[in-house]
Amino acid sequence: VQQGLQAAANETVAALGPKLSVAMVMADAETGEIIGEVGSAGYLDRARQGFVDMTKAVRSPGSTLKPFIYGLAFEDGRIAQETVIEDRPANFAGYRPRNFDMEYQGDVSIRAALQKSLNVPAIRLLDAVGPHRLMARFKLAGIKAEMPKGKGAGLAIGLGGVGLSLRDLVQLYTGLSNGG
């Protein structure tokens, strides 16, 4: 497994250009056990900062936490796949999330909102279930999410306003694959 991941990393990084890198983590979906990882494409490659283990570096997860927000809302019985939710400009006490493409879809199903990775519906749901509850669930899963200094869990965590490592993110997703 490890040799295969390293080969895939080397092949991928060759196509990325001289200053980009790659990191990979493979886990057993049932147990969550990490079975292979590549922290960078080349430890000695200074142009790619190969000495940085990107599997452990804390970074913004962007929109990758949206399935967990939706999961909490499903768990609460607040939504179903075909529940309709608004994707329109919204103001949450001064926080005004926008979609990546700066467009809005109007009324959409929960299924479509998640498939299209729409930001406003995800933040509407996070507002309903509570950002502290999402962070508590991560802690329960053994994940250490890092907040910016002096900041508590707010709605911005739903769009990447929290720090996680790739290893932690993979561990969270293995939890989804085995029923939570």
Side-chain angles (χ1 to χ4, degrees), residues 43-93:
Y43 182 78
L44 299 176
D45 189 336
R46 287 183 174 266
R48 298 181 199 277
Q49 297 184 341
F51 54 88
V52 177
D53 183 346
M54 294 304 292
T55 67
K56 296 178 183 166
V58 175
R59 300 175 49 112
S60 167
S63 290
T64 62
L65 300 182
K66 287 177 184 170
F68 302 99
I69 296 168
Y70 283 79
L72 286 175
F74 280 122
E75 186 177 281
D76 287 352
R78 294 176 186 270
I79 59 171
Q81 291 180 20
E82 299 308 320
T83 300
V84 174
I85 191 165
E86 283 186 73
D87 180 39
R88 291 184 178 80
N91 184 342
F92 300 90

Side-chain angles (χ1 to χ4, degrees), residues 18-157:
K19 293 188 177 182
L20 300 176
S21 192
V22 65
M24 299 177 184
V25 174
M26 181 181 280
D28 181 306
E30 289 183 20
T31 67
E33 176 187 4
I34 303 293
I35 56 178
E37 65 183 277
V38 175
S40 72
Y43 182 78
L44 299 176
D45 189 336
R46 287 183 174 266
R48 298 181 199 277
Q49 297 184 341
F51 54 88
V52 177
D53 183 346
M54 294 304 292
T55 67
K56 296 178 183 166
V58 175
R59 300 175 49 112
S60 167
S63 290
T64 62
L65 300 182
K66 287 177 184 170
F68 302 99
I69 296 168
Y70 283 79
L72 286 175
F74 280 122
E75 186 177 281
D76 287 352
R78 294 176 186 270
I79 59 171
Q81 291 180 20
E82 299 308 320
T83 300
V84 174
I85 191 165
E86 283 186 73
D87 180 39
R88 291 184 178 80
N91 184 342
F92 300 90
Y95 179 54
R96 295 176 178 93
R98 294 178 285 181
N99 291 323
F100 181 76
D101 64 2
M102 306 303 271
E103 303 270 331
Y104 296 96
Q105 306 294 309
D107 290 338
V108 295
S109 70
I110 289 295
R111 178 193 311 265
L114 184 54
Q115 286 173 338
K116 294 177 181 182
S117 191
L118 299 175
N119 291 342
V120 177
I123 297 306
R124 286 186 192 285
L125 292 177
L126 183 57
D127 189 44
V129 299
H132 289 78
R133 186 158 164 239
L134 181 64
M135 295 293 283
R137 189 60 61 94
F138 292 164
K139 186 176 181 180
L140 185 63
I143 304 303
K144 184 178 184 283
E146 294 185 19
M147 296 300 303
K149 288 186 180 184
K151 302 282 183 177
L155 295 177
I157 66 173

